[in-house]
Amino acid sequence: METAEIARRFLAYFETNGHTVVPSASLIAEDPTLLLVNAGMVPFKPYFLGQRTPPYARATSAQKCVRTKDIDEVGRTARHASFFQMLGNFSFGDYFKEGAIPLAWDLLTRPVADGGFGFDAERLWVTVFHDDDEAETLWRERVGVPAERIQRRGMVDNFWSMGVPGPCGPCSEIYFDRGAAYGREGGPEADENRYLEVWNLVFMQFERGPGPGKDDYPILGELPSKNIDTGMGLERMAALLQGVDNIYETDTLGRILNRAADLTGVRYGGDSRSDVGLRVVADHMRTATMLVADGVRPGNEKRGYVLRRILRRSIRNLRLLSGTDAHYLHDLAETAIDAMAGQYPGLRTDADRIHNVIDAEERNFADTLRSGTALFNRAAERTKAAGSAEFSGADAFQLHDTYGFPIDLTLEMAGEQGLSVDEDTFRRLMQEQKDTAKRDARAKKLGNADISTYARLLDDSGATRFLGYTDHEGDARVLGLIVDGEAVPAARAGDKVEVVLDSTPFYAESGGQLADQGTISVDGRGVVDVDDVQKPIGGLFVHRGTVRSGEIVVDDQVHAAIDTDRRSSVSRSHSATHLIHSALRNALGPATGQAGSENQPGRLRFDFTANRALDGAELAAVEEEVNTVLSGDIQVRDFQTSLDEALAMGALAMFGEKYGDRVRVVEMSDYSRELCGGTHVAATGQLGVVKLLGESSVGSGVRRVEAAVGIDAFRRLSRESLLVSQLAEQLRTPREDLPQRVEGIVTRLRAAEKEIERLRAAQVLQAAAGLAAGAREHGAALVVAHRAPDGTTGDDLRKLALDVRGRLGEDRAVAVAVASVPKDRPVVVVAVNKAAQQAGLKAGELVGVAARALGGGGGGKPDVAQGGGTDAGAVDDALRAVERRVAEAR
């Protein structure tokens, strides 16, 4: 039975039993406590907690999940995977144990011809929580499972939670006995390799607090109602029903694994080490494909880092398997798309964008390996020169933060050079970075309040009605006030307050458009200056600002008014963004997609997927096309329709955004048609003019254009025209000849700089003979310690040191140390000959002595090394430190 058929059959069974089929949510979790959806119940968490009223009493889904906690185990075991699909049925205060247990047993044991999975009831075992007498009784008396095939287990095994504060409860698991060939008898307690878990029925009735592990956390109390949450791993079920030993041999993962084997020329099953590598590639390429499809892009933090890490682990394993640096990801992504399209048809229509993202990351990693490896090698040489066997945690973090090196790659490379890595420091720096980013993001989205505060307001009062498409001001009622994270009955002058209204003309920041600003006034009693509006949870507008005067009280009737000039300016920027998007797609092809935007008053930035930079001519053509379209004064129209109809008419959707059944389409004739909730001009002529300010790279496969719009664009053009006129006057050149004139000046200037550099280097080297003649004996070696004139570069110092060393020959041990302050930061170079090395003098060690005196560090080869520091006043001390160290050598 194919994987897609297993999912279809599961959903169909529960649909006939009164459950609403809910499509899989995006892997990008709405829950701010989670990076990615990691369990089938995550989209339903607010219903379990009572934060929102569920629109159905029973539901069933096949939910995409990503879990990276055990990523290092992927490929090493038969069951670990970073991406998996969880089949589940859910009850929200409807049925409980008495309903879930018989339904699960019936579906598992029902014949295949009747829509079931056809399991032999005699080979199924059950576990229950150690004090759950009710569940055991139901299994025995209602279903008929013999008591000897029911085992009681503790909290670690049979009590479920998401691993973070939230809903939890005891569970009952169903296991399949694979037979004596897979292990010893005795049920799941004896051998979970032979007795494989196929389904977990969670009786969700409690809420847990924070704490580590699976059993070290407090139970805060009971949930508002008793619920059911079940989870059946689709991949594990496929392995059982397809008669294979592990998930990597199923119809989906097996296709990707076999393709990886073909590409690399490695036979699966021939060697345990290469088998692990092939399984890692198969798992990671499927995960990467699904993440990119849901709008995740490679990056150096959060979910972007998860994607980058698994792609780079795939590349690393493919190189080890094949022994080449050939590019395989495009082919493997195509195989992953084909393997999963039976369940997710949108993968095929989105294939070009998926390939663009993954291909760009593969090319980028090739550059990363070159530049990052050079940085690693320098740091490793420094480590060895200092006599240490531990690679710096700070250097490991820099490799991650600057070059995107996964820590496991650094660990592997360090191990190849006989070094360990200071992982504690690395983890600390990583955590500091994550904590800062998390605080910033949470402060932006949630302010100081817990999400439950907003959820209670939404549940008690309903969603905020947005009036801003047609009205710039309006009367409203105050539903709630929040000060310092707590709901309050009133706020007074000077208070920083969050105001929730039943209706509002204020646009809340979303879709790249900045929030409106304005005032909320209580007639004759108080005024709140609003400087930001956010939607911390769907449907709830939170107005943030300061009480300017008087007070504001819950249930007050207020008048809300936006800054109309600011709104108009932001709307012009947003409409310009749509035009730029279409022009870029016309220039670069339909695979070019939006990757982010920000619409400010009079200015915008637009990020888009692209494999290369736009040259000046292409950028000018895009700008001209946009201004040609807007000069036609096309009417801007918006309307509501179904998501399917909008996509069918060619409306562009923002990848990673979540859309409901009804969507808003904004169109500008046939030139631009997008799903968008933002505000726009009535006609393109209102934009005036759009001026592109530049194009740049902001990440792997992502480019950015910035633009000024309207009066801001006019002012920019006016300033540029004035500057060109002034330049033409100073150079006594017609405006049209300025490029050639400036190019000529720059060419002559560069030639002069090179000549000055040549003369200065020659002057430095002229001192070599005198320095060699003045070499002094220190112990068993001849030493030259010289401070070159300030401004001498590190390259010139190296040439001078090598020249002096060469003049002193190889008959005696020679050590040459030269230093300078080229740009307010001292540099020192040390060169020693072979005789000195044989006497125990190493350039790397000597430069380390000097660099420490300068307040810095350095390293290099045994014969020549370079270092530096921050204390420009310690150059002479550094040179004397080298002399003392040489004198100590024997």
Side-chain angles (χ1 to χ4, degrees):
M1 190 179 297
E2 291 188 348
T3 299
E5 170 59 17
I6 297 170
R8 187 206 63 77
R9 189 170 289 237
F10 183 95
L11 297 175
Y13 174 83
F14 281 102
E15 186 175 26
T16 61
N17 281 279
H19 293 66
T20 298
V21 177
V22 179
S24 174
S26 167
L27 286 167
I28 301 174
E30 288 187 350
D31 187 335
T33 66
L34 295 172
L35 199 64
L36 295 160
V37 169
N38 62 357
M41 58 75 62
V42 168
F44 305 108
K45 180 181 173 184
Y47 306 150
F48 289 130
L49 287 173
Q51 293 174 342
R52 300 184 196 175
T53 302
Y56 27 67
R58 302 180 175 193
T60 184
S61 69
Q63 175 61 46
K64 299 175 289 187
C65 303
V66 168
R67 193 176 297 167
T68 58
K69 182 180 178 181
D70 300 321
I71 194 169
D72 292 330
E73 295 301 313
V74 169
R76 300 181 187 279
T77 72
R79 62 182 185 275
H80 280 97
S82 57
F83 172 88
F84 59 96
Q85 299 163 92
M86 192 59 69
L87 303 173
N89 59 287
F90 308 91
S91 165
F92 309 107
D94 186 19
Y95 62 83
F96 198 48
K97 299 176 187 178
E98 77 291 338
I101 287 173
L103 283 171
W105 189 263
D106 179 51
L107 176 58
L108 284 176
T109 58
R110 177 177 290 208
V112 172
D114 296 334
F117 291 126
F119 278 87
D120 180 357
E122 300 300 316
R123 298 178 66 179
L124 295 178
W125 288 62
V126 172
T127 64
V128 297
F129 189 50
H130 63 76
D131 62 359
D132 195 347
D133 296 333
E134 180 185 6
E136 184 186 14
T137 300
L138 285 167
W139 281 116
R140 283 191 294 103
E141 298 183 1
R142 182 81 176 270
V143 174
V145 179
E148 60 268 20
R149 293 214 308 273
I150 303 174
Q151 296 182 332
R152 293 182 182 244
R153 307 185 79 175
M155 195 165 181
V156 171
D157 297 301
N158 275 73
F159 199 93
W160 189 92
S161 80
M162 292 168 55
V164 296
C168 64
C171 61
S172 182
E173 298 176 324
I174 306 172
Y175 289 80
F176 176 72
D177 180 3
R178 297 200 291 170
Y182 290 91
R184 55 197 175 98
E185 294 184 1
E189 280 192 329
D191 191 336
E192 287 200 17
N193 184 53
R194 169 174 172 171
Y195 300 89
L196 199 65
E197 177 198 337
V198 295
W199 207 343
N200 187 8
L201 315 181
V202 180
F203 310 129
M204 196 78 75
Q205 61 190 106
F206 302 111
E207 181 176 1
R208 61 157 284 184
K214 294 186 176 182
D215 58 353
D216 190 12
Y217 51 81
I219 301 298
L220 303 180
E222 293 198 353
L223 296 173
S225 60
K226 292 182 178 181
N227 311 294
I228 288 296
D229 158 32
T230 82
M232 172 190 285
L234 179 54
E235 284 75 15
R236 189 174 297 184
M237 180 62 74
L240 288 172
L241 293 178
Q242 292 172 17
V244 296
D245 283 341
N246 63 66
I247 62 173
Y248 295 99
E249 297 171 9
T250 59
D251 58 332
T252 54
L253 278 175
R255 287 179 63 182
I256 309 170
L257 185 148
N258 291 333
R259 185 58 182 151
D262 290 342
L263 291 171
T264 58
V266 175
R267 184 176 67 85
Y268 182 63
D271 174 76
S272 60
R273 185 171 181 179
S274 60
D275 284 355
V276 169
L278 288 170
R279 288 195 290 263
V280 168
V281 170
D283 169 84
H284 285 9
M285 285 308 302
R286 183 174 71 156
T287 304
T289 299
M290 302 305 292
L291 284 171
V292 174
D294 274 359
V296 180
R297 299 195 61 82
N300 281 348
E301 60 182 17
K302 298 184 179 179
R303 58 181 69 95
Y305 179 63
V306 171
L307 175 57
R308 171 158 286 169
R309 183 184 180 196
I310 62 175
L311 281 172
R312 294 187 171 187
R313 288 186 95 223
S314 299
I315 296 168
R316 177 77 171 166
N317 276 278
L318 286 165
R319 291 187 175 207
L320 292 173
L321 288 165
S322 67
T324 73
D325 57 1
H327 290 192
Y328 297 123
L329 295 198
H330 186 95
D331 197 317
L332 291 170
E334 185 65 34
T335 305
I337 290 169
D338 287 344
M340 299 299 293
Q343 293 171 254
Y344 306 100
L347 290 172
R348 286 203 174 97
T349 58
D350 203 15
D352 286 346
R353 186 181 63 85
I354 294 170
H355 284 310
N356 282 346
V357 172
I358 292 177
D359 292 352
E361 183 65 11
E362 185 170 31
R363 288 192 302 272
N364 187 54
F365 191 40
D367 296 335
T368 292
L369 278 175
R370 285 191 294 272
S371 54
T373 300
L375 175 64
F376 172 86
N377 288 336
R378 289 195 297 271
E381 288 176 2
R382 256 193 335 265
T383 301
K384 294 177 181 178
S388 174
E390 185 177 60
F391 191 84
S392 161
D395 286 332
F397 177 74
Q398 185 186 5
L399 280 165
H400 152 74
D401 198 42
T402 304
Y403 295 98
F405 260 45
I407 184 60
D408 50 357
L409 179 56
T410 302
L411 288 166
E412 186 174 340
M413 293 172 67
E416 290 170 355
Q417 297 206 25
L419 300 173
S420 62
V421 177
D422 180 4
E423 291 187 70
D424 290 340
T425 298
F426 172 82
R427 305 287 179 197
R428 176 178 58 78
L429 293 171
M430 282 287 293
Q431 192 60 49
E432 288 175 0
Q433 185 187 63
K434 289 177 183 177
D435 290 345
T436 299
K438 194 172 184 179
R439 281 195 302 271
D440 291 346
R442 187 176 181 83
K444 181 66 174 174
K445 187 175 182 183
L446 301 181
N448 295 317
D450 185 86
I451 192 172
S452 61
T453 304
Y454 301 116
R456 281 193 295 271
L457 279 171
L458 183 64
D459 203 41
D460 293 342
S461 306
T464 306
R465 190 161 53 94
F466 179 58
L467 311 173
Y469 291 136
T470 56
D471 300 327
H472 291 170
E473 58 184 286
D475 295 329
R477 183 170 68 90
V478 177
L479 300 179
L481 298 170
I482 300 170
V483 175
D484 294 330
E486 300 292 335
V488 296
R492 294 170 177 80
D495 286 347
K496 298 287 187 183
V497 65
E498 297 182 358
V499 184
V500 179
L501 305 176
D502 64 344
S503 62
T504 182
F506 283 83
Y507 183 83
E509 180 180 351
S510 62
Q513 179 173 332
L514 296 188
D516 283 328
Q517 296 178 354
T519 58
I520 298 174
S521 305
V522 186
D523 188 24
R525 192 152 51 82
V527 177
V528 177
D529 290 323
V530 177
D531 54 38
D532 187 27
V533 187
Q534 294 291 322
K535 286 194 288 187
I537 56 178
L540 196 74
F541 287 57
V542 177
H543 307 73
R544 294 182 179 149
T546 305
V547 182
R548 185 204 308 169
S549 61
E551 69 173 357
I552 184 170
V553 179
V554 173
D555 283 333
D556 270 346
Q557 292 295 319
V558 299
H559 187 75
I562 68 171
D563 179 338
T564 55
D565 288 342
R566 185 177 190 279
R567 160 71 79 81
S568 296
S569 186
V570 172
S571 296
R572 285 193 291 270
S573 293
H574 200 157
S575 297
T577 297
H578 284 220
L579 294 175
I580 290 171
H581 189 186
S582 291
L584 286 169
R585 286 170 61 86
N586 291 339
L588 299 176
T592 301
Q594 183 172 347
S597 65
E598 184 175 87
N599 303 299
Q600 307 174 29
R603 191 181 177 98
L604 67 89
R605 62 170 172 78
F606 181 79
D607 298 344
F608 58 98
T609 56
N611 295 329
R612 61 175 179 83
L614 276 76
D615 60 34
E618 289 174 316
L619 206 59
V622 167
E623 182 179 82
E624 182 175 348
E625 181 175 320
V626 168
N627 283 282
T628 299
V629 171
L630 68 85
S631 67
D633 202 24
I634 297 171
Q635 292 298 301
V636 179
R637 188 170 78 100
D638 68 89
F639 57 90
Q640 298 265 342
T641 186
S642 71
L643 178 59
D644 289 342
E645 288 176 353
L647 297 177
M649 67 177 64
L652 299 178
M654 173 67 175
F655 298 109
E657 287 289 318
K658 301 174 180 65
Y659 298 100
D661 293 333
R662 301 290 294 176
V663 294
R664 179 171 181 259
V665 178
V666 174
E667 68 176 13
M668 304 171 191
S669 185
D670 289 331
Y671 184 75
S672 170
R673 187 174 290 114
E674 297 191 26
L675 304 187
C676 180
T679 63
H680 290 271
V681 297
T684 59
Q686 294 175 6
L687 300 183
V689 66
V690 174
K691 173 60 181 174
L692 297 187
L693 305 179
E695 188 261 11
S696 60
S697 170
V698 291
S700 173
V702 180
R703 310 292 301 180
R704 171 176 293 172
V705 292
E706 298 185 65
V709 184
I711 190 64
D712 293 85
F714 171 79
R715 288 168 181 158
R716 175 80 180 218
L717 290 168
S718 179
R719 286 196 303 271
E720 288 182 356
S721 179
L722 179 60
L723 288 171
V724 170
S725 295
Q726 291 173 340
L727 187 59
E729 183 177 349
Q730 288 178 353
L731 296 178
R732 301 179 185 277
T733 302
R735 292 166 64 104
E736 61 271 18
D737 294 338
L738 276 177
Q740 295 87 348
R741 180 84 165 103
V742 171
E743 183 181 4
I745 293 173
V746 170
T747 299
R748 290 195 299 273
L749 180 59
R750 287 175 177 167
E753 288 174 342
K754 288 182 180 179
E755 179 62 16
I756 292 170
E757 176 69 18
R758 186 188 66 78
L759 293 173
R760 187 176 53 76
Q763 184 180 15
V764 169
L765 291 176
Q766 284 176 2
L771 291 174
R776 293 183 294 174
E777 292 190 8
H778 285 277
L782 286 175
V783 178
V784 173
H786 172 67
R787 177 169 184 166
D790 288 350
T792 306
T793 66
D795 286 342
D796 288 343
L797 289 177
R798 179 179 290 262
K799 292 175 184 176
L800 178 60
L802 294 175
D803 193 333
V804 173
R805 184 187 68 179
R807 292 172 184 270
L808 292 171
E810 293 289 342
D811 294 337
R812 295 189 57 183
V814 171
V816 180
V818 291
S820 178
V821 184
K823 292 182 180 178
D824 298 325
R825 294 178 67 89
V827 175
V828 61
V829 174
V830 175
V832 299
N833 63 5
K834 290 182 180 179
Q837 294 175 55
Q838 292 169 356
L841 295 173
K842 301 291 191 293
E845 180 188 355
L846 294 176
V847 89
V849 170
R852 283 192 290 275
L854 296 171
K861 298 179 180 179
D863 62 331
V864 62
Q866 180 174 323
T870 59
D871 189 354
V875 172
D876 294 334
D877 292 338
L879 292 172
R880 284 192 291 269
V882 173
E883 289 178 316
R884 287 193 298 272
R885 175 63 186 86
V886 173
E888 293 168 358
R890 292 290 183 266

